[in-house]
Amino acid sequence: MRKLVWGAVLAPILALTLQGCDAPREQVTFFERDAVPEKLSAWHLVEAIDGELSPNAGVTPYDLNTALFSDYAHKLRTVWMPAGKSAKYAKEDFDYPVGTVLTKTFYYPKGKNGTILRTDDYSNDYVPGAAGERLQLANVRLMETRILVKRADGWQALPYVWNKEQTEATLQIAGDASRMKMVSESGDSDDFTYVVPDRNQCAGCHADNHSKKALHPLGPRARHLNKDYTYGTGTQNQLLHWQQIGYLTGLPEFAEIPRDADYADISASLDERARAYLDINCGHCHNPSGPAGYSGLDLYHEETVARRYGVCKPPIAAGTGSGDHLFDIVPGQPGQSIIPFRVGSTNPGAMMPELGRTLVHEKGLALLRDWIASMPGSCS
Amino acid sequence: MKTAAQKMGIAGVALAAVLAGACSKDVGTASPQADQAQASASKDFQKNLLEQLISAKTGDVIELPAGTFHLNRSLSLDVDGVTIRGAGKDKTVLSFKNQIQGAEGLLVNASDFTIENLAIEDTIGDALKVNEGKNIVIRNVRVEWTNGPATENGAYGIYPVRTTNTLLEGNVAIGASDAGIYVGQSRNVIVRNNRAESNVAGIEIENTIGADVYDNVATKNAGGILVFNMPNLPQPGHSTRVYNNKVFKNNTENFGHKGTPVAAVPAGSGVVINSNDNVEIFDNDIADNDTANVIVSSYFMAGYYTDKSTQKAFDPYPEGIYVYGNKFSGGGGSPGLMKLKALKVAEFGLSGSLPDILWDGAVDANKMVDGKLPDALKLCVDNGDAKVLNVDFQHDFKNITTEMDSHQCSLKKLPQIVLDFDKPQGDGKEVAKVEASDA
């Protein structure tokens, strides 16, 4: 109980620090399944106010060790739970209370002349003094905010698309597509189509058990959340923070909590980094009960049989995706392996993942190639 | 409830106007406005259809009007008990020529699903995929890559995988770079009255338990009708009957992607059994397939088998194969593999032909009793004077033979596949009724 009290005390303080001297905000509003508002602002979760995109009181940002790649989009993720409710820890999917609302806002740092920037640097995204919390709208182009809301009968996915003025986002269950020009740090530019998935496509990833069809949050799981985050109140491990603000109970001894590697952290082994990358980008489909279970290729973190995670595994229904190669992974031969071919393709008929990107993630691809190049042995 | 037809009435009218405009374009009087109007009509159509599919409720019939509609994103359906119905497989055309997103044209994860009377053209990946579900009917649907056979075409045309009780009838599949009609890891399947043309594989049944494939036409593919088992999958298949089909002139050069299982099928293959067990091939009309009218082979011959690539429990041998009563003619004159070409010349002369049935001869020594396979595991042939060519693949083509004694046996016949909802001329309502009483 002490933790809940802590949360109750902390929330108003946070609200004060976040709001400054502005008028008090309306509280987060929970809508029933069949009464979903057309406008994102009605939820009072993350709102565009005074040139900032700011989370409301109790709407807590979080980050992942290794995140899904989505065309270099930057993401602001938040979690909110109704007063007095908490999620129960589990090794895989936390038992989130009914009423939990997760948001993921996709945005890009702005470049010149209406372009967007391709960069891993988040530092200019935020309002000064509010790193990790509030986005400076003058510096970023908001694309969409996806909401996952836990109902009594399961999670519901709702895609909201931001207007050009960055004042409001509107529900688009059929998704959206817009042409963009992205400029990299070296000055190269790419024209690409940013695609907002439709609501069924949300399920394409979030229903990681294909038969049951039930949606689940993919990112906010123990192994992905187990890292430090810099909150307005200081830096803290996210799971401990969630426990502290009353959002999580049943947290085991710290040593028992799994932790996926950060794919870009070169102090971790190639194997840990590559498997973490495959886990978050592929494991939601490529697990035995997932939508790609029929492929026999299992890329979720628990798979330990090398053939099942691709080593010397022949393709089944890869079609164009085989890239004229015989095996998913040929040890030592990234150029002869199907996985890097598909991750490096932008042809919708060949590329992997099938949804969520139209560009190649160069760093992720390089990691997978290095990983395969480092593998000893052969397939013959 | 408003039907899609009602909702889309406006788009349909606009489109009709546009189509008229498009025709006039050919005589040089079209305007940019007409193109814009067409794009806009298709855009409305796409958004409406996406919303209908997303918001669908059990029992809904989504009716699509006649016309050609351009879609640039894939469609998906997750709700059980929905019917999608067009105005005809040459009348309602969903064209994905400019698709920018999605690995399929339409992806379905739902039971009690019927799709009929429409066409899906030029998808960048698979045309119609049903990934898990029971009681699936795909009827009078045309899937086509309109530029003809090409490696860059999408992989699968009609593609139910992990389904139970599936009926595919009256469909047409053209130009798939893998299989035109492909049923994978399913149970209780009927594939009848379809036409598969100019695909790498015309009709393919893979890792499926219980399939009847009859009254189909497979022609101009690299391989006509395939019954395969692949390793490393949750479900090994068996028990397929291939009968009353017309399988002829499947001599199109294999344009599949290297590494895909069908890319190993030599052009000129009629009916191919690979690694699958308990398969009957009977009463078919199989003609003029240049490698062989029937091929029975093990997974070894596909060229992918290694101890590392294949799970231990996988059985690579085709066993219990029964070929009888087929009408064979022509074929075998120009095998699609160099090795077989050389073999043909050596054994049958320049102007000769391979026999109707080509067998790689691979047998599982562990299953032999007194040095022989039990009858139930044999390749049994009772087909007039049709001959089997055993190329002795396991011993590097050393003991090539056409002896027939070891094939003179008969096997217990497989039962007919029956689908409870199967009413050949039934409309969606009847189907729903039967299924409801089933549940």
Side-chain angles (χ1 to χ4, degrees), chain B residues 296-353:
Chain B
V296 179
S297 59
S298 64
Y299 188 64
F300 302 117
M301 202 165 170
Y304 305 129
Y305 186 93
T306 72
D307 290 344
K308 289 174 190 158
S309 71
T310 311
Q311 98 246 47
K312 279 206 178 67
F314 181 67
D315 172 8
Y317 303 94
E319 288 160 343
I321 312 299
Y322 197 8
V323 181
Y324 60 96
N326 299 285
K327 199 173 140 205
F328 292 127
S329 62
S334 179
L337 283 182
M338 282 316 290
K339 191 99 193 175
L340 292 175
K341 228 172 222 146
L343 190 155
K344 189 214 82 167
V345 175
E347 300 280 320
F348 305 95
L350 259 179
S351 58
S353 301

Side-chain angles (χ1 to χ4, degrees), chain B residues 173-433:
Chain B
I174 300 172
S177 68
D178 202 301
I181 295 174
Y182 172 99
V183 182
Q185 300 176 55
S186 291
R187 271 171 196 269
N188 245 23
V189 175
I190 293 178
V191 179
R192 69 181 175 216
N193 283 317
N194 303 283
R195 181 177 181 90
E197 192 177 306
S198 303
N199 308 284
V200 173
I203 297 171
E204 181 172 6
I205 308 295
E206 189 170 280
N207 291 64
T208 285
I209 299 173
D212 276 356
V213 180
Y214 58 95
D215 291 344
N216 302 284
V217 173
T219 186
K220 293 191 241 175
N221 308 285
I225 298 179
L226 279 53
V227 184
F228 274 33
N229 251 10
M230 297 294 293
N232 309 316
L233 294 179
Q235 174 178 302
H238 59 79
S239 305
T240 291
R241 306 192 308 161
V242 177
Y243 61 99
N244 281 352
N245 301 285
K246 290 191 164 57
V247 185
F248 58 97
K249 292 187 180 161
N250 290 287
N251 300 324
T252 297
E253 191 187 339
N254 192 321
F255 58 100
H257 290 273
K258 215 169 91 189
T260 59
V262 296
V265 173
S269 303
V271 176
V272 185
I273 314 301
N274 192 275
S275 314
N276 209 300
D277 293 352
N278 307 335
V279 182
E280 283 178 29
I281 306 171
F282 61 98
D283 295 347
N284 299 285
D285 197 341
I286 309 180
D288 301 326
N289 301 289
D290 282 345
T291 293
N293 285 329
V294 173
I295 297 175
V296 179
S297 59
S298 64
Y299 188 64
F300 302 117
M301 202 165 170
Y304 305 129
Y305 186 93
T306 72
D307 290 344
K308 289 174 190 158
S309 71
T310 311
Q311 98 246 47
K312 279 206 178 67
F314 181 67
D315 172 8
Y317 303 94
E319 288 160 343
I321 312 299
Y322 197 8
V323 181
Y324 60 96
N326 299 285
K327 199 173 140 205
F328 292 127
S329 62
S334 179
L337 283 182
M338 282 316 290
K339 191 99 193 175
L340 292 175
K341 228 172 222 146
L343 190 155
K344 189 214 82 167
V345 175
E347 300 280 320
F348 305 95
L350 259 179
S351 58
S353 301
L354 296 183
D356 287 307
I357 302 162
L358 177 67
W359 179 41
D360 74 355
V363 291
D364 189 348
N366 295 324
K367 290 182 187 150
M368 295 218 184
V369 180
D370 301 329
K372 278 179 14 194
L373 272 187
D375 274 6
L377 302 181
K378 277 185 180 169
L379 165 58
C380 295
V381 177
D382 182 1
N383 209 112
D385 57 3
K387 286 229 162 21
V388 176
L389 174 68
N390 173 357
V391 299
D392 193 27
F393 182 79
Q394 275 172 314
H395 306 103
D396 201 19
F397 301 87
K398 262 191 201 124
N399 297 307
I400 294 168
T401 165
T402 51
E403 68 82 22
M404 288 299 293
D405 288 354
S406 61
H407 302 297
Q408 271 154 17
C409 46
S410 64
L411 296 172
K412 198 175 155 223
K413 290 188 181 167
L414 297 168
Q416 182 187 354
I417 301 295
V418 178
L419 302 174
D420 287 345
F421 60 76
D422 183 14
K423 303 221 165 138
Q425 294 308 311
D427 62 19
K429 278 178 197 152
E430 278 177 16
V431 171
K433 213 186 300 164

Side-chain angles (χ1 to χ4, degrees), chain A residues 200 211 213 291 294 322 378, chain B residues 76 78 129 131-132 258 308:
Chain A
N200 283 350
S211 304
K213 292 190 194 177
Y294 67 89
S322 81
S378 73
Chain B
S76 61
D78 289 351
K129 180 173 180 180
N131 185 356
E132 280 194 59
K258 215 169 91 189
K308 289 174 190 158

Side-chain angles (χ1 to χ4, degrees), chain A residues 204-205 207-208 281-293 295 297-298 354:
Chain A
C205 293
D208 54 351
N281 281 285
C282 319
H284 45 83
C285 280
H286 281 281
N287 71 72
S289 55
S295 69
L297 178 67
D298 294 332
E354 291 179 343

Side-chain angles (χ1 to χ4, degrees), chain B residues 11-42:
Chain B
V13 171
L15 192 91
V18 165
L19 286 179
C23 294
S24 64
K25 189 176 185 175
D26 295 338
V27 292
T29 56
S31 62
Q33 286 88 337
D35 287 346
Q36 265 174 17
Q38 173 165 14
S40 145
S42 275

Side-chain angles (χ1 to χ4, degrees), chain A residues 356-368:
Chain A
R357 72 172 180 87
T358 58
L359 298 171
V360 174
H361 186 205
E362 301 293 349
K363 278 189 186 170
L365 176 60
L367 168 65
L368 296 177

